[in-house]
């Protein structure tokens, strides 16, 4: 009986995971259709979101305890994204602007993981020195 309940819970989890993925994909498809229908409005919204992110990043760089270098990297990355907005909704996958933007996105993810690893090692070293 216990095994049956466990099996049912796994089946329901897999079904909900599949349906959730399907619903998420449908929502993204709907958003893509909206952007396709209203490209001018979408460009205005994306530009305003970009401005908000840039201002927030500058303010975080100035007033938060995070290093200014992190904020500077964020500003450079978002500046490369803004270059892509100039030709919105069209872009070329082989263009220099797209390749730079994609590389900024992927490098940021790797650096974050590397920083977390380094922070964990520093904490472990600090705890060993206290002992």
């Amino acid at each position: 009986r216990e095994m049956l309940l466990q099996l049912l819970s796994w089946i329901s989890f897999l079904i909900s995971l599949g349906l959730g993925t399907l619903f998420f994909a449908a929502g993204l498809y709907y958003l893509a259709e909206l952007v396709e229908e209203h490209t001018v409005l979408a460009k205005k919204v994306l530009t305003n979101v970009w401005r908000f992110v840039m201002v927030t990043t500058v303010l975080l760089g100035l007033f938060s305890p995070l290093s200014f270098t992190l904020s500077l990297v964020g500003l450079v990355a978002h500046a490369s994204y803004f270059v892509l907005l100039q030709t919105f909704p069209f872009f070329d996958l082989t263009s220099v602007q797209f390749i730079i933007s994609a590389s900024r996105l992927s490098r940021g993810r790797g650096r974050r993981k590397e920083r977390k690893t380094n922070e964990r090692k520093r904490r472990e070293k600090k705890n060993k020195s206290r002992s």
Side-chain angles (χ1 to χ4, degrees):
R1 179 176 173 135
E2 193 174 305
M3 186 174 226
L4 178 65
L5 289 177
Q6 200 171 29
L7 180 66
L8 283 175
S9 69
W10 275 106
I11 290 172
S12 65
F13 169 73
L14 291 174
I15 290 172
S16 65
L17 184 68
L19 288 175
T21 304
L22 181 68
F23 296 152
F24 185 71
L28 287 177
Y29 181 75
Y30 178 72
L31 284 176
E33 288 292 322
L34 277 178
V35 167
E36 187 178 351
E37 291 288 324
H38 307 285
T39 54
V40 174
L41 179 62
K43 184 173 182 174
K44 287 179 184 178
V45 168
L46 287 173
T47 303
N48 286 328
V49 168
W50 177 84
R51 286 182 182 142
F52 174 77
V53 168
M54 291 295 277
V55 168
T56 305
T57 305
V58 168
L59 292 174
L60 282 172
L62 294 175
F63 299 115
S64 84
L66 294 174
S67 71
F68 189 73
T69 309
L70 291 176
S71 296
L72 191 61
V73 169
L75 289 172
V76 169
H78 282 88
S80 69
Y81 304 151
F82 184 72
V83 173
L84 283 179
L85 274 177
Q86 302 307 309
T87 59
F88 182 82
F90 306 105
F91 64 92
D92 183 19
L93 292 175
T94 59
S95 71
V96 175
Q97 294 91 349
F98 180 79
I99 293 170
I100 289 173
S101 297
S103 70
R104 293 302 323 150
L105 179 68
S106 65
R107 287 198 56 165
R109 303 267 186 245
R111 300 274 183 201
R112 193 172 304 137
K113 187 175 181 181
E114 182 180 314
R115 269 196 313 274
K116 285 183 179 180
T117 304
N118 289 340
E119 287 175 15
R120 190 181 73 236
K121 286 179 182 177
R122 268 190 259 129
R123 271 187 260 129
E124 287 172 0
K125 189 175 180 180
K126 193 176 186 179
N127 289 339
K128 285 181 182 179
S129 66
R130 286 183 182 172
S131 302

